[in-house]
Short mmCIF file of all heavy atoms in Angstrom, two decimals:
data_model
loop_
_atom_site.label_atom_id
_atom_site.label_comp_id
_atom_site.label_asym_id
_atom_site.label_seq_id
_atom_site.Cartn_x
_atom_site.Cartn_y
_atom_site.Cartn_z
N GLN A 1 -8.66 9.88 7.11
CA GLN A 1 -9.80 9.01 6.87
C GLN A 1 -9.62 8.25 5.56
O GLN A 1 -9.25 8.84 4.54
CB GLN A 1 -11.07 9.83 6.82
CG GLN A 1 -12.33 9.01 6.96
CD GLN A 1 -13.54 9.86 7.32
OE1 GLN A 1 -13.44 11.06 7.45
NE2 GLN A 1 -14.68 9.21 7.46
N GLN A 2 -9.90 6.94 5.60
CA GLN A 2 -9.68 6.11 4.43
C GLN A 2 -10.66 6.47 3.31
O GLN A 2 -11.84 6.72 3.57
CB GLN A 2 -9.90 4.63 4.77
CG GLN A 2 -8.75 3.98 5.52
CD GLN A 2 -8.98 2.48 5.72
OE1 GLN A 2 -9.83 2.07 6.49
NE2 GLN A 2 -8.22 1.69 5.00
N GLN A 8 -17.19 -3.73 -2.94
CA GLN A 8 -16.21 -4.44 -2.12
C GLN A 8 -15.70 -5.67 -2.83
O GLN A 8 -14.54 -6.08 -2.64
CB GLN A 8 -16.83 -4.83 -0.78
CG GLN A 8 -17.06 -3.68 0.16
CD GLN A 8 -17.53 -4.12 1.52
OE1 GLN A 8 -18.49 -4.92 1.59
NE2 GLN A 8 -16.92 -3.64 2.57
N TYR A 29 -5.11 15.40 -4.24
CA TYR A 29 -4.08 15.86 -5.16
C TYR A 29 -3.67 14.74 -6.11
O TYR A 29 -3.33 14.99 -7.26
CB TYR A 29 -2.87 16.35 -4.37
CG TYR A 29 -1.75 16.84 -5.23
CD1 TYR A 29 -1.78 18.12 -5.79
CD2 TYR A 29 -0.65 16.03 -5.52
CE1 TYR A 29 -0.76 18.57 -6.60
CE2 TYR A 29 0.38 16.47 -6.32
CZ TYR A 29 0.31 17.74 -6.85
OH TYR A 29 1.33 18.18 -7.66
N SER A 30 -3.71 13.53 -5.61
CA SER A 30 -3.30 12.40 -6.44
C SER A 30 -4.05 11.15 -6.03
O SER A 30 -4.52 11.03 -4.89
CB SER A 30 -1.79 12.16 -6.29
OG SER A 30 -1.49 11.77 -4.96
N HIS A 32 -3.46 6.88 -6.54
CA HIS A 32 -2.68 5.74 -7.02
C HIS A 32 -3.60 4.53 -7.07
O HIS A 32 -4.46 4.37 -6.20
CB HIS A 32 -1.54 5.41 -6.06
CG HIS A 32 -0.45 6.42 -5.95
ND1 HIS A 32 0.87 6.06 -5.82
CD2 HIS A 32 -0.47 7.77 -5.95
CE1 HIS A 32 1.61 7.14 -5.74
NE2 HIS A 32 0.84 8.20 -5.81
N TYR A 34 -3.32 0.21 -7.19
CA TYR A 34 -2.46 -0.95 -7.03
C TYR A 34 -3.29 -2.22 -7.14
O TYR A 34 -4.49 -2.21 -6.81
CB TYR A 34 -1.75 -0.95 -5.66
CG TYR A 34 -0.73 0.14 -5.49
CD1 TYR A 34 -1.12 1.46 -5.23
CD2 TYR A 34 0.63 -0.14 -5.61
CE1 TYR A 34 -0.18 2.47 -5.10
CE2 TYR A 34 1.59 0.86 -5.47
CZ TYR A 34 1.17 2.16 -5.22
OH TYR A 34 2.10 3.15 -5.08
N GLN A 36 -3.16 -6.36 -5.97
CA GLN A 36 -2.48 -7.37 -5.16
C GLN A 36 -3.08 -8.74 -5.46
O GLN A 36 -4.28 -8.96 -5.22
CB GLN A 36 -2.61 -7.06 -3.67
CG GLN A 36 -1.86 -8.01 -2.76
CD GLN A 36 -2.00 -7.63 -1.29
OE1 GLN A 36 -3.01 -7.08 -0.87
NE2 GLN A 36 -0.98 -7.93 -0.49
N GLY A 39 -1.44 -13.72 -1.91
CA GLY A 39 -0.14 -14.15 -1.41
C GLY A 39 1.03 -13.35 -1.95
O GLY A 39 2.19 -13.72 -1.69
N GLU A 40 0.75 -12.28 -2.69
CA GLU A 40 1.82 -11.48 -3.25
C GLU A 40 1.75 -10.03 -2.74
O GLU A 40 0.78 -9.63 -2.11
CB GLU A 40 1.74 -11.48 -4.78
CG GLU A 40 1.90 -12.86 -5.38
CD GLU A 40 1.82 -12.84 -6.90
OE1 GLU A 40 1.83 -11.73 -7.49
OE2 GLU A 40 1.74 -13.92 -7.49
N ALA A 41 2.80 -9.28 -3.05
CA ALA A 41 2.82 -7.87 -2.67
C ALA A 41 1.98 -7.05 -3.64
O ALA A 41 1.82 -7.42 -4.81
CB ALA A 41 4.26 -7.37 -2.69
N PRO A 42 1.43 -5.92 -3.17
CA PRO A 42 0.73 -5.02 -4.10
C PRO A 42 1.68 -4.51 -5.18
O PRO A 42 2.86 -4.27 -4.92
CB PRO A 42 0.27 -3.87 -3.20
CG PRO A 42 0.27 -4.43 -1.81
CD PRO A 42 1.38 -5.44 -1.79
N VAL A 43 1.14 -4.35 -6.38
CA VAL A 43 1.93 -3.86 -7.51
C VAL A 43 1.26 -2.61 -8.08
O VAL A 43 0.05 -2.58 -8.27
CB VAL A 43 2.04 -4.96 -8.59
CG1 VAL A 43 2.71 -4.40 -9.85
CG2 VAL A 43 2.81 -6.16 -8.06
N PHE A 44 2.08 -1.62 -8.35
CA PHE A 44 1.58 -0.35 -8.87
C PHE A 44 0.98 -0.51 -10.26
O PHE A 44 1.54 -1.19 -11.11
CB PHE A 44 2.78 0.62 -8.92
CG PHE A 44 2.50 1.95 -9.54
CD1 PHE A 44 1.87 2.95 -8.82
CD2 PHE A 44 2.89 2.21 -10.85
CE1 PHE A 44 1.63 4.19 -9.38
CE2 PHE A 44 2.65 3.45 -11.42
CZ PHE A 44 2.03 4.44 -10.68
N ILE A 47 -0.77 6.17 -11.60
CA ILE A 47 -1.00 7.32 -10.74
C ILE A 47 -1.69 8.41 -11.55
O ILE A 47 -1.37 8.62 -12.72
CB ILE A 47 0.33 7.85 -10.14
CG1 ILE A 47 0.10 9.10 -9.29
CG2 ILE A 47 1.35 8.13 -11.22
CD1 ILE A 47 1.34 9.59 -8.56
N LEU A 49 -2.76 12.50 -11.29
CA LEU A 49 -2.54 13.72 -10.53
C LEU A 49 -3.66 14.72 -10.77
O LEU A 49 -4.38 14.64 -11.78
CB LEU A 49 -1.19 14.34 -10.92
CG LEU A 49 0.03 13.49 -10.64
CD1 LEU A 49 1.28 14.15 -11.16
CD2 LEU A 49 0.16 13.19 -9.17
N THR A 85 -6.97 -8.18 -5.65
CA THR A 85 -7.58 -7.10 -4.88
C THR A 85 -6.99 -5.78 -5.34
O THR A 85 -5.77 -5.63 -5.41
CB THR A 85 -7.35 -7.30 -3.38
OG1 THR A 85 -7.89 -8.56 -2.98
CG2 THR A 85 -8.04 -6.19 -2.58
N PHE A 87 -6.52 -1.76 -4.86
CA PHE A 87 -6.52 -0.71 -3.84
C PHE A 87 -6.32 0.65 -4.50
O PHE A 87 -5.46 0.79 -5.38
CB PHE A 87 -5.37 -0.91 -2.84
CG PHE A 87 -5.49 -2.13 -1.99
CD1 PHE A 87 -4.79 -3.28 -2.31
CD2 PHE A 87 -6.29 -2.12 -0.85
CE1 PHE A 87 -4.89 -4.41 -1.52
CE2 PHE A 87 -6.39 -3.25 -0.05
CZ PHE A 87 -5.68 -4.39 -0.39
N GLY A 91 -3.63 10.88 -2.09
CA GLY A 91 -2.71 11.84 -1.51
C GLY A 91 -3.31 13.22 -1.56
O GLY A 91 -3.96 13.58 -2.55
N GLY A 93 -1.48 16.04 -1.24
CA GLY A 93 -0.53 17.03 -1.72
C GLY A 93 0.32 17.66 -0.65
O GLY A 93 1.41 18.15 -0.92
N SER A 94 -0.17 17.67 0.59
CA SER A 94 0.59 18.31 1.66
C SER A 94 1.49 17.31 2.37
O SER A 94 2.44 17.69 3.04
CB SER A 94 -0.35 18.94 2.67
OG SER A 94 -1.15 17.93 3.28
N ALA A 95 1.17 16.04 2.23
CA ALA A 95 1.93 15.00 2.93
C ALA A 95 2.58 14.07 1.92
O ALA A 95 2.22 14.05 0.75
CB ALA A 95 1.01 14.22 3.85
N ARG A 96 3.54 13.33 2.38
CA ARG A 96 4.26 12.44 1.49
C ARG A 96 3.61 11.07 1.39
O ARG A 96 3.96 10.28 0.53
CB ARG A 96 5.70 12.28 1.99
CG ARG A 96 6.49 13.57 1.98
CD ARG A 96 7.82 13.37 2.68
NE ARG A 96 8.66 14.55 2.63
CZ ARG A 96 8.60 15.55 3.47
NH1 ARG A 96 7.72 15.54 4.45
NH2 ARG A 96 9.40 16.59 3.36
N GLN A 97 2.67 10.82 2.28
CA GLN A 97 2.13 9.48 2.31
C GLN A 97 0.79 9.37 1.61
O GLN A 97 0.18 10.37 1.27
CB GLN A 97 1.98 9.00 3.77
CG GLN A 97 0.79 9.59 4.50
CD GLN A 97 1.09 10.87 5.21
OE1 GLN A 97 1.92 11.64 4.78
NE2 GLN A 97 0.42 11.08 6.33
N LEU A 98 0.38 8.12 1.38
CA LEU A 98 -0.92 7.84 0.81
C LEU A 98 -1.83 7.24 1.87
O LEU A 98 -1.35 6.64 2.83
CB LEU A 98 -0.81 6.81 -0.32
CG LEU A 98 0.03 7.20 -1.53
CD1 LEU A 98 0.13 6.01 -2.48
CD2 LEU A 98 -0.57 8.40 -2.24
N THR A 99 -3.13 7.42 1.67
CA THR A 99 -4.11 6.73 2.49
C THR A 99 -4.85 5.77 1.59
O THR A 99 -5.44 6.18 0.57
CB THR A 99 -5.11 7.73 3.13
OG1 THR A 99 -4.38 8.70 3.88
CG2 THR A 99 -6.07 6.99 4.06
N PHE A 100 -4.81 4.48 1.93
CA PHE A 100 -5.38 3.46 1.08
C PHE A 100 -6.81 3.12 1.49
O PHE A 100 -7.18 3.15 2.67
CB PHE A 100 -4.53 2.17 1.13
CG PHE A 100 -3.26 2.26 0.34
CD1 PHE A 100 -2.08 2.67 0.94
CD2 PHE A 100 -3.24 1.92 -1.01
CE1 PHE A 100 -0.90 2.76 0.20
CE2 PHE A 100 -2.08 2.00 -1.76
CZ PHE A 100 -0.90 2.42 -1.14
N GLY A 101 -7.60 2.74 0.48
CA GLY A 101 -8.93 2.21 0.73
C GLY A 101 -8.84 0.76 1.19
O GLY A 101 -7.75 0.18 1.23
N SER A 102 -9.99 0.19 1.51
CA SER A 102 -10.00 -1.17 2.04
C SER A 102 -9.93 -2.23 0.96
O SER A 102 -9.82 -3.42 1.26
CB SER A 102 -11.25 -1.38 2.91
OG SER A 102 -12.40 -1.11 2.15
N GLY A 103 -9.99 -1.83 -0.29
CA GLY A 103 -9.78 -2.77 -1.38
C GLY A 103 -11.05 -3.29 -2.02
O GLY A 103 -12.12 -3.33 -1.39
N ARG B 9 9.40 -13.97 6.22
CA ARG B 9 8.05 -14.10 5.64
C ARG B 9 7.03 -14.44 6.73
O ARG B 9 5.90 -13.99 6.68
CB ARG B 9 8.03 -15.20 4.58
CG ARG B 9 8.74 -14.86 3.28
CD ARG B 9 8.21 -13.60 2.61
NE ARG B 9 6.81 -13.67 2.27
CZ ARG B 9 6.34 -14.10 1.10
NH1 ARG B 9 7.15 -14.51 0.17
NH2 ARG B 9 5.03 -14.09 0.86
N ASN B 31 11.94 7.74 0.37
CA ASN B 31 10.81 7.41 1.25
C ASN B 31 10.72 5.93 1.53
O ASN B 31 10.89 5.10 0.63
CB ASN B 31 9.49 7.84 0.59
CG ASN B 31 9.41 9.33 0.33
OD1 ASN B 31 10.08 10.13 0.98
ND2 ASN B 31 8.58 9.71 -0.63
N PHE B 33 8.15 3.12 3.98
CA PHE B 33 6.86 3.05 4.68
C PHE B 33 6.68 1.69 5.34
O PHE B 33 7.15 0.68 4.82
CB PHE B 33 5.70 3.21 3.68
CG PHE B 33 5.80 4.41 2.78
CD1 PHE B 33 6.55 4.35 1.61
CD2 PHE B 33 5.16 5.60 3.09
CE1 PHE B 33 6.65 5.45 0.77
CE2 PHE B 33 5.25 6.70 2.27
CZ PHE B 33 6.00 6.63 1.10
N TYR B 35 3.35 -0.58 6.60
CA TYR B 35 1.90 -0.75 6.64
C TYR B 35 1.57 -2.04 7.35
O TYR B 35 2.35 -2.99 7.35
CB TYR B 35 1.32 -0.87 5.22
CG TYR B 35 1.48 0.33 4.33
CD1 TYR B 35 2.57 0.45 3.48
CD2 TYR B 35 0.52 1.34 4.32
CE1 TYR B 35 2.71 1.55 2.65
CE2 TYR B 35 0.64 2.44 3.47
CZ TYR B 35 1.74 2.54 2.65
OH TYR B 35 1.87 3.63 1.81
N GLN B 37 -1.66 -4.89 7.12
CA GLN B 37 -2.78 -5.26 6.28
C GLN B 37 -3.62 -6.28 7.00
O GLN B 37 -3.15 -7.35 7.36
CB GLN B 37 -2.29 -5.83 4.94
CG GLN B 37 -3.42 -6.16 3.98
CD GLN B 37 -2.93 -6.55 2.60
OE1 GLN B 37 -1.81 -7.02 2.43
NE2 GLN B 37 -3.77 -6.35 1.60
N GLY B 40 -10.38 -6.78 5.21
CA GLY B 40 -11.45 -5.80 5.26
C GLY B 40 -11.02 -4.38 5.61
O GLY B 40 -11.82 -3.45 5.53
N LEU B 41 -9.76 -4.22 6.00
CA LEU B 41 -9.28 -2.89 6.40
C LEU B 41 -8.27 -2.31 5.43
O LEU B 41 -7.86 -1.16 5.57
CB LEU B 41 -8.68 -2.94 7.81
CG LEU B 41 -9.64 -3.32 8.93
CD1 LEU B 41 -8.91 -3.40 10.26
CD2 LEU B 41 -10.81 -2.33 9.02
N GLY B 42 -7.83 -3.09 4.48
CA GLY B 42 -6.87 -2.59 3.51
C GLY B 42 -5.50 -2.39 4.11
O GLY B 42 -5.09 -3.07 5.04
N LEU B 43 -4.78 -1.43 3.55
CA LEU B 43 -3.43 -1.11 3.98
C LEU B 43 -3.49 0.12 4.87
O LEU B 43 -3.94 1.18 4.44
CB LEU B 43 -2.53 -0.81 2.77
CG LEU B 43 -2.38 -1.93 1.76
CD1 LEU B 43 -1.85 -1.40 0.44
CD2 LEU B 43 -1.44 -3.00 2.31
N ARG B 44 -3.01 -0.01 6.09
CA ARG B 44 -3.01 1.12 7.01
C ARG B 44 -1.57 1.49 7.35
O ARG B 44 -0.78 0.64 7.74
CB ARG B 44 -3.82 0.81 8.26
CG ARG B 44 -5.32 0.65 7.99
CD ARG B 44 -6.08 0.36 9.28
NE ARG B 44 -5.73 -0.93 9.84
CZ ARG B 44 -6.01 -1.30 11.09
NH1 ARG B 44 -6.64 -0.46 11.90
NH2 ARG B 44 -5.67 -2.50 11.51
N LEU B 45 -1.27 2.78 7.23
CA LEU B 45 0.09 3.25 7.43
C LEU B 45 0.42 3.36 8.90
O LEU B 45 -0.30 4.00 9.67
CB LEU B 45 0.26 4.62 6.75
CG LEU B 45 1.65 5.24 6.80
CD1 LEU B 45 2.64 4.40 6.00
CD2 LEU B 45 1.60 6.67 6.26
N PHE B 48 6.18 6.30 8.45
CA PHE B 48 6.99 6.42 7.25
C PHE B 48 8.19 7.32 7.52
O PHE B 48 8.22 8.05 8.51
CB PHE B 48 6.17 6.88 6.05
CG PHE B 48 5.79 8.34 6.08
CD1 PHE B 48 6.49 9.28 5.34
CD2 PHE B 48 4.68 8.76 6.79
CE1 PHE B 48 6.11 10.61 5.34
CE2 PHE B 48 4.30 10.09 6.80
CZ PHE B 48 5.01 11.01 6.08
N TYR B 50 11.07 9.88 5.39
CA TYR B 50 11.40 10.53 4.12
C TYR B 50 12.88 10.83 3.99
O TYR B 50 13.33 11.44 3.02
CB TYR B 50 10.56 11.80 3.93
CG TYR B 50 10.63 12.77 5.08
CD1 TYR B 50 11.59 13.76 5.13
CD2 TYR B 50 9.70 12.68 6.12
CE1 TYR B 50 11.66 14.64 6.18
CE2 TYR B 50 9.76 13.55 7.18
CZ TYR B 50 10.73 14.53 7.22
OH TYR B 50 10.79 15.39 8.27
N GLU B 56 7.82 9.97 10.45
CA GLU B 56 6.54 10.60 10.76
C GLU B 56 5.52 9.52 11.07
O GLU B 56 5.55 8.44 10.45
CB GLU B 56 6.05 11.46 9.59
CG GLU B 56 6.78 12.78 9.46
CD GLU B 56 6.10 13.75 8.53
OE1 GLU B 56 4.88 13.69 8.36
OE2 GLU B 56 6.82 14.58 7.94
N LYS B 57 4.62 9.83 11.98
CA LYS B 57 3.57 8.88 12.33
C LYS B 57 2.56 8.79 11.20
O LYS B 57 2.24 9.78 10.54
CB LYS B 57 2.85 9.33 13.61
CG LYS B 57 3.72 9.28 14.85
CD LYS B 57 2.93 9.73 16.07
CE LYS B 57 3.82 9.68 17.30
NZ LYS B 57 3.10 10.14 18.51
N GLY B 58 2.08 7.56 11.02
CA GLY B 58 0.99 7.34 10.08
C GLY B 58 -0.33 7.35 10.82
O GLY B 58 -0.50 8.07 11.81
N ASP B 59 -1.24 6.52 10.36
CA ASP B 59 -2.58 6.50 10.93
C ASP B 59 -2.71 5.66 12.20
O ASP B 59 -3.57 5.90 13.04
CB ASP B 59 -3.58 5.97 9.88
CG ASP B 59 -3.61 6.86 8.66
OD1 ASP B 59 -3.65 8.09 8.83
OD2 ASP B 59 -3.59 6.34 7.52
N LEU B 90 3.67 -4.96 5.76
CA LEU B 90 4.25 -4.69 4.45
C LEU B 90 5.12 -3.44 4.52
O LEU B 90 4.72 -2.41 5.06
CB LEU B 90 3.15 -4.46 3.41
CG LEU B 90 2.36 -5.69 2.99
CD1 LEU B 90 1.08 -5.28 2.29
CD2 LEU B 90 3.18 -6.57 2.08
N SER B 94 9.67 4.47 -2.02
CA SER B 94 9.38 5.26 -3.21
C SER B 94 10.36 6.42 -3.29
O SER B 94 11.00 6.78 -2.30
CB SER B 94 7.94 5.80 -3.19
OG SER B 94 7.83 6.90 -2.30
N ARG B 96 10.68 10.56 -3.99
CA ARG B 96 9.93 11.62 -3.29
C ARG B 96 8.46 11.66 -3.66
O ARG B 96 7.96 10.82 -4.35
CB ARG B 96 10.59 12.98 -3.53
CG ARG B 96 12.01 13.03 -2.99
CD ARG B 96 12.55 14.43 -2.84
NE ARG B 96 13.96 14.41 -2.46
CZ ARG B 96 14.41 14.21 -1.24
NH1 ARG B 96 13.56 14.00 -0.27
NH2 ARG B 96 15.68 14.22 -0.98
N GLN B 97 7.76 12.64 -3.29
CA GLN B 97 6.30 12.70 -3.37
C GLN B 97 5.70 12.18 -4.65
O GLN B 97 6.21 12.37 -5.75
CB GLN B 97 5.84 14.15 -3.20
CG GLN B 97 5.58 14.49 -1.76
CD GLN B 97 5.27 15.95 -1.58
OE1 GLN B 97 6.12 16.80 -1.80
NE2 GLN B 97 4.05 16.25 -1.18
N ASN B 98 4.54 11.53 -4.48
CA ASN B 98 3.68 11.11 -5.59
C ASN B 98 4.36 10.22 -6.61
O ASN B 98 4.12 10.33 -7.80
CB ASN B 98 3.08 12.33 -6.30
CG ASN B 98 2.00 12.95 -5.45
OD1 ASN B 98 1.13 12.24 -4.96
ND2 ASN B 98 2.08 14.24 -5.25
N ASN B 99 5.22 9.36 -6.10
CA ASN B 99 5.80 8.35 -6.97
C ASN B 99 5.35 6.97 -6.54
O ASN B 99 4.99 6.76 -5.38
CB ASN B 99 7.33 8.43 -6.93
CG ASN B 99 7.85 9.53 -7.82
OD1 ASN B 99 7.79 9.44 -9.04
ND2 ASN B 99 8.35 10.59 -7.21
N GLU B 100 5.38 6.05 -7.48
CA GLU B 100 4.89 4.71 -7.17
C GLU B 100 5.65 4.11 -6.01
O GLU B 100 6.86 4.34 -5.85
CB GLU B 100 4.97 3.81 -8.39
CG GLU B 100 6.37 3.51 -8.85
CD GLU B 100 6.37 2.51 -9.99
OE1 GLU B 100 6.14 1.32 -9.73
OE2 GLU B 100 6.63 2.92 -11.13
N GLN B 101 4.91 3.36 -5.22
CA GLN B 101 5.53 2.66 -4.10
C GLN B 101 5.81 1.23 -4.52
O GLN B 101 4.98 0.56 -5.13
CB GLN B 101 4.60 2.70 -2.89
CG GLN B 101 4.41 4.12 -2.34
CD GLN B 101 3.66 4.17 -1.03
OE1 GLN B 101 3.49 3.16 -0.36
NE2 GLN B 101 3.21 5.35 -0.65
N PHE B 102 6.99 0.75 -4.15
CA PHE B 102 7.38 -0.64 -4.39
C PHE B 102 7.28 -1.37 -3.05
O PHE B 102 7.87 -0.94 -2.07
CB PHE B 102 8.82 -0.70 -4.91
CG PHE B 102 8.98 -0.11 -6.28
CD1 PHE B 102 9.18 1.25 -6.44
CD2 PHE B 102 8.93 -0.90 -7.41
CE1 PHE B 102 9.34 1.81 -7.69
CE2 PHE B 102 9.09 -0.36 -8.67
CZ PHE B 102 9.28 1.01 -8.81
N PHE B 103 6.56 -2.46 -3.07
CA PHE B 103 6.29 -3.19 -1.84
C PHE B 103 7.18 -4.42 -1.70
O PHE B 103 7.54 -5.07 -2.69
CB PHE B 103 4.83 -3.65 -1.80
CG PHE B 103 3.86 -2.55 -1.49
CD1 PHE B 103 3.40 -1.72 -2.49
CD2 PHE B 103 3.42 -2.33 -0.19
CE1 PHE B 103 2.51 -0.69 -2.22
CE2 PHE B 103 2.52 -1.31 0.10
CZ PHE B 103 2.08 -0.49 -0.92
N GLY B 104 7.50 -4.73 -0.45
CA GLY B 104 8.16 -5.99 -0.14
C GLY B 104 7.14 -7.12 -0.07
O GLY B 104 5.93 -6.86 -0.16
N PRO B 105 7.60 -8.37 0.10
CA PRO B 105 6.71 -9.52 0.09
C PRO B 105 5.85 -9.65 1.34
O PRO B 105 4.88 -10.42 1.34
CB PRO B 105 7.66 -10.71 -0.03
CG PRO B 105 8.94 -10.22 0.56
CD PRO B 105 9.01 -8.75 0.25
N GLY B 106 6.17 -8.91 2.39
CA GLY B 106 5.36 -8.96 3.61
C GLY B 106 5.91 -9.93 4.65
O GLY B 106 6.59 -10.90 4.32
#
Side-chain angles (χ1 to χ4, degrees):
Chain A
Q1 196 163 1
Q2 283 185 289
Q8 287 186 311
Y29 180 80
S30 65
H32 293 218
Y34 292 77
Q36 184 179 30
E40 298 180 10
V43 173
F44 175 80
I47 178 175
L49 298 176
T85 302
F87 293 99
S94 63
R96 297 171 176 85
Q97 76 270 31
L98 298 175
T99 303
F100 284 92
S102 57
Chain B
R9 288 303 301 269
N31 299 336
F33 308 85
Y35 296 93
Q37 183 173 25
L41 296 178
L43 300 163
R44 293 181 294 165
L45 183 66
F48 74 100
Y50 53 90
E56 284 193 28
K57 293 180 180 179
D59 299 315
L90 288 164
S94 76
R96 298 197 187 280
Q97 270 174 294
N98 286 312
N99 280 289
E100 66 175 286
Q101 294 188 15
F102 293 85
F103 285 84

